[in-house]
Amino acid sequence: MSTGGDSMQKRPVVFSTCMEHELHFGAPSHPEKPERLLNILKHLKQQGLLSDDLILPHHIATDDDLLLAHTKEHVKKVQDYALQHVSNGIQNKRELREWKRRMSSEAKVKIDGKEVGLVKSMGDLFTTVATPEVAMAAVGASVKVVEEVAKSMEGDRKEAKAGFAIVRPPGHHAGKDTAMGFCFFNNATIAALHAVERLKVPRVCVFDWDVHHGNGSQDILYEDGRVLFASVHRYGKGFYPGTGKVEEVGSGGGKGRIVNLPVEGRGMGDEYYMKAMDELFLPVFAEYEPNLVIVSAGFDAAEGDPLGGMKVTPVGFAKMLHSIQATLPDAGIVLILEGGYNVNILSECSEACVRILAGETVAEVERRFGVGGEEEGLCSDMGAMMVMENPAKAAKEKQAAHASLLAARRVQAEHWREVQTPDEE
């Protein structure tokens, strides 16, 4: 199904990002930090892949945008986070910016003799007075890049653009009425529903390759049916968020529109991910024939990520993206940043994908990065240090991961003719 070495037509890439995202920050040690975006933008400019004229104008989402995917109660709750900080004495972004410049490493300051935290932590979330606006800007940037790509697809498909929304906070854990996992509003799903409902794009797919399951995206789309949601993610042994089983295929009008590959094995790399593309996801995409593919592009399955425990290389992500392009040559493709917490590797993976979006071949990307897809082993979850454990344990993890793929194929074969069960091979 995949055609890794084929030459793709050169095409323009548009970008969007969210201004003042630096004012949404947590403790200095928190992995979801402003440096993630700053480093990507700097790196892409250094590589000659990004210039200011390619970045769409700043846009903040409206409440109507947010209500495409979220309840009124959830929107108000997130917007009210700012008021909690105002009551502590941080009145606005200008004051926050000044205090941040002078703050201690503990992110606390004294206002009128009272020690005040610039950041509030709530489980796996953190907020500042600017968080609601930054989260709405991330949605706005995602919506605008989808609009630009959809507009460019009208008429002559040969001029279709690709796009990359380089945004934070991420969004795929945010459900209809839930903020969690560093996420407040669901950037990718709002953009997808905007495309279907307002731009009248006939068929839209959200493909989530973040190492964590996009439970929020699934929650929003589970009974909807207007958008196909597909996800490859690590699963089991307490791995966050613990959702995305193969049996979760949607219900009601959305039955058969959820495709999950929960990988019950650590240390999987390029070879495994491309096998999953060839045997599961590309057949589904070919049958569904989406006009627009939105990739929830988390890069925490990359080798060296402190949270993911997988071994995908920048070339591996490039190969996955190229395989989608080759399977769906007329579709618009938009990447929306999700996770990825090693800032250097995050930038390299982003670069590899932008090069594919712009029309470079996999062979060209391989020459820049070195060929990926080394023999899969087992990596430790401890930080960026990837260590090989004993061969027997590595083999067991690999066997579990391949069993996950077989199980997903069996389930999805009931909904998609192009997916073969193991017995049909």
Side-chain angles (χ1 to χ4, degrees), residues 161-180:
K161 295 177 181 175
F164 188 7
I166 306 171
V167 297
R168 59 176 293 272
H172 71 150
H173 293 310
K176 293 177 185 176
D177 57 3
T178 308
M180 61 182 288

Side-chain angles (χ1 to χ4, degrees), residues 6 17 87 127 206 269 369:
D6 292 352
T17 190
S87 66
T127 67
V206 175
F369 288 92

